Amino acid sequence: MKIVAESPYRFRIEPFGTMRVPGVVFASRALLPDPDHDKSLEQVIHVAALPGIVRASYAMPDVHWGYGFPIGGVAATDIDADGVISPGGVGFDISCGVRLLAAGLDRAELVPHLDGLMDALDRTIPRGMHGGGVWHVSGHRELEHVLRAGARYAVEVGHGVARDLERCEDGGAIAGADPDRVSARAVERGLGQVGSLGSGNHFLEVQVVAEIYDEAAARAFGLHPDQVCVMIHCGSRGLGHQVCSDHVRTMEAAMSRYGITVPDRQLACAPANSPEGRAYLGAMAAATNYARANRQLLTEATRHAFARHTTAELDLVYDISHNVAAIETHEVDGKRRRLCVHRKGATRALPPGDPELPPDLAPVGQPVLIPGTMGTASFVLAGVAGGGAFHSTCHGAGRVRSRHQALRSVSGRRLRDELEARGIAVRGTSWRGLAEEAPSAYKDVDAVVDTAEGAGLCRKVARLVPIGVVKG
Ligand code: 5GP
Ligand code: MN
Ligand code: MN
């Protein structure tokens, strides 16, 4: 593998073997994965072999190993030139994502009530691998509404306010959902879980704005220094996982019919325009809507918990998905082309003036929400003009140690005590879950975000620090 430094924040892997396009890794030298210990660059190379891929196989600064595609990978295929869709390029937690709520109160006003609030959140936010959600969807018919209309349906039936939808990607529901492509098993798994965090890496965090880098953008996003915020990270639970498993299996069987070979079985795929491709895209959109309704219901539960302990309102800053494939039009080689843009562990970052942004955000660009760790910081970024990788940026700090490695080196109890001693209230589900998500298991989020900004993918708006964490 030949890696060339193109700038301090951009490396290029020259095409060789089955690669159809180069690999482009947005990283500093320090963040560049070590091929001896991390297979993610090998995965970037494999992705570059996908039929119909255009421009490059991209890696964000938080890249690490994932199923088929790396986490932190972006790849776009040309739909009208037999470009493929690969479920592994979206991931098992379809539309896993983040939303940020801005509270109408500052840290000093909340601190006296923090313990009570954290206990209320601990009681009301369902989590863990198999837990049920806060919303008891009445049955298959109602779930179908969730799959078709996502957060929009949730708000229509009273679980939120109209303004919430203005601050969700796609107005709260992505188009093209096809509930008929979601298996009975997936539906069964999803019925009871709307409004639940799930396990481990998912969380609900009470945070404080510690630093503002861009006053005008922060004002447009409704953020100011010392303000209390809530960040929610979760996805499509068992439903999304089942959709991914089902469609990977179908595509594994279909690939030979389309004459497709891939360097790694986990890259199972089919032309986006084929029956199998369209079926997956319809099911993926349904799972995406499920995840958005999920985050909407957790927002409502959070508002109720806040209402018991404060008089503050919680406004949605934005809701983003960081595991999704989107059909977008981009100019490639001087031609407008319809692309299937896979973003897995990567966030869309629309530039100022993009027609998809609500009018009040258009002058500053799309808010991008980056969780870091429960013991360090998280960030709010904004999309920039000319952003690379089809307007994408990182999605988190990114793992450096596997869950298994973290478990061996960290004690969950000691971690809890350390965080509490630093003024971060912890409400966990298991000691194991806490240890697996220890800050030491992740890259330095400040370095990741500086690299993303240095690479011209986004710009920094605000830095948030945790004061209370509810862990999945
Ligand atoms: P993923 O979607 O890849 O599971 O996680 C996204 C990012 O969330 C990770 O790369 C990590 O930086 C961040 N993260 C994981 N656990 C926590 C947490 O408890 N609090 C915060 N703020 N971030 C977290
Ligand atoms: Mn997830
Ligand atoms: Mn996620």
Side-chain angles (χ1 to χ4, degrees):
M1 168 191 336
K2 188 169 150 227
I3 306 186
V4 186
E6 292 192 312
S7 85
Y9 298 117
R10 184 181 166 117
F11 290 80
R12 178 184 164 93
I13 305 173
E14 290 302 330
F16 67 94
T18 55
M19 291 172 78
R20 296 167 194 257
V21 291
V24 169
V25 185
F26 295 104
S28 59
R29 218 164 255 292
L31 284 173
L32 197 65
D34 170 3
D36 292 336
H37 294 103
D38 182 307
K39 299 273 178 239
S40 58
L41 294 190
E42 207 173 289
Q43 293 190 309
V44 170
I45 291 167
H46 290 163
V47 169
L50 288 178
I53 187 166
V54 296
R55 255 193 228 157
S57 164
Y58 293 100
M60 300 296 124
D62 53 334
V63 70
H64 56 107
W65 182 88
Y67 177 90
F69 273 58
I71 294 166
V74 175
T77 58
D78 187 335
I79 297 178
D80 301 308
D82 293 330
V84 294
I85 170 82
S86 173
V90 171
F92 278 91
D93 193 4
I94 296 170
S95 188
C96 187
V98 185
R99 62 167 52 192
L100 186 72
L101 309 169
L105 90 168
D106 291 348
R107 177 207 285 260
E109 298 165 282
L110 178 62
V111 166
H113 311 284
L114 184 62
D115 255 336
L117 171 68
M118 292 307 295
D119 287 338
L121 290 168
D122 190 25
R123 279 194 305 273
T124 52
I125 300 298
R127 51 206 202 271
M129 194 78 118
H130 302 290
V134 292
W135 194 7
H136 299 283
V137 174
S138 63
H140 290 67
R141 280 192 59 149
E142 186 165 39
L143 189 74
E144 196 173 318
H145 288 300
V146 172
L147 298 180
R148 285 194 197 280
R152 211 166 57 216
Y153 176 69
V155 169
E156 265 167 29
V157 296
H159 303 295
V161 294
R163 188 190 169 282
D164 293 342
L165 301 179
E166 289 165 25
R167 296 307 187 100
C168 286
E169 284 180 317
D170 316 298
I174 196 172
D178 186 353
D180 292 342
R181 304 300 177 179
V182 177
S183 69
R185 173 95 190 96
V187 166
E188 231 32 74
R189 290 179 69 178
L191 262 178
Q193 295 187 326
V194 187
S196 64
L197 277 183
S199 58
N201 53 340
H202 302 122
F203 64 84
L204 183 152
E205 219 164 76
V206 181
Q207 304 172 335
V208 170
V209 178
E211 202 171 344
I212 299 277
Y213 306 97
D214 181 327
E215 291 264 356
R219 207 172 315 116
F221 295 173
L223 298 173
H224 63 259
D226 246 15
Q227 182 179 13
V228 170
C229 293
V230 176
M231 183 176 272
I232 300 172
H233 173 221
C234 63
S236 51
R237 305 293 329 275
L239 183 138
H241 198 281
Q242 190 65 41
V243 164
C244 183
S245 306
D246 292 342
H247 289 263
V248 162
R249 209 171 317 122
T250 318
M251 288 192 185
E252 272 174 353
M255 270 195 298
S256 62
R257 251 185 291 130
Y258 295 107
I260 297 172
T261 51
V262 287
D264 175 356
R265 278 189 59 140
Q266 295 184 350
L267 292 177
C269 57
N273 232 343
S274 67
E276 292 83 0
R278 282 195 300 270
Y280 171 70
L281 282 167
M284 182 209 72
T288 297
N289 289 336
Y290 182 95
R292 288 169 181 182
N294 188 21
R295 291 191 285 274
Q296 184 64 35
L297 267 290
L298 289 173
T299 300
E300 186 184 45
T302 305
R303 283 175 173 153
H304 286 155
F306 264 73
R308 256 176 264 139
H309 295 273
T310 75
T311 54
E313 303 269 320
L314 290 169
D315 286 336
L316 181 56
V317 175
Y318 214 65
D319 177 295
I320 54 101
S321 298
H322 54 221
N323 279 1
V324 77
I327 309 302
E328 299 173 5
T329 304
H330 292 269
E331 192 172 312
V332 181
D333 298 333
K335 267 207 281 207
R336 304 282 294 163
R337 301 206 208 170
R338 266 194 332 139
L339 304 179
C340 175
V341 186
H342 301 72
R343 292 188 183 87
K344 180 196 193 174
T347 315
R348 190 165 74 167
L350 297 174
D354 191 282
E356 286 196 36
L357 291 171
D360 55 330
L361 297 183
V364 283
Q366 183 208 303
V368 174
L369 311 171
I370 307 295
T373 77
M374 60 179 131
T376 55
S378 296
F379 283 84
V380 180
L381 315 172
V384 291
F390 307 101
H391 292 297
S392 310
T393 189
C394 56
H395 90 304
R399 265 190 187 277
V400 274
R401 282 192 200 167
S402 67
R403 295 208 158 87
H404 189 69
Q405 285 169 326
L407 207 53
R408 270 189 316 200
S409 57
V410 179
S411 142
R413 262 173 226 273
R414 203 171 311 139
L415 175 60
R416 195 267 319 261
D417 293 346
E418 278 166 25
L419 293 170
E420 293 270 353
R422 287 172 46 208
I424 304 168
V426 179
R427 301 293 185 272
T429 304
S430 69
W431 296 121
R432 182 197 170 109
L434 268 187
E436 287 177 346
E437 297 300 314
S440 59
Y442 286 97
K443 299 182 194 185
D444 173 358
V445 68
D446 291 85
V448 166
V449 162
D450 284 342
T451 301
E453 185 177 61
L457 300 173
C458 54
R459 68 182 200 281
K460 292 199 288 186
V461 174
R463 186 174 193 269
L464 313 171
V465 295
I467 57 171
V469 55
V470 178
K471 255 322 220 179

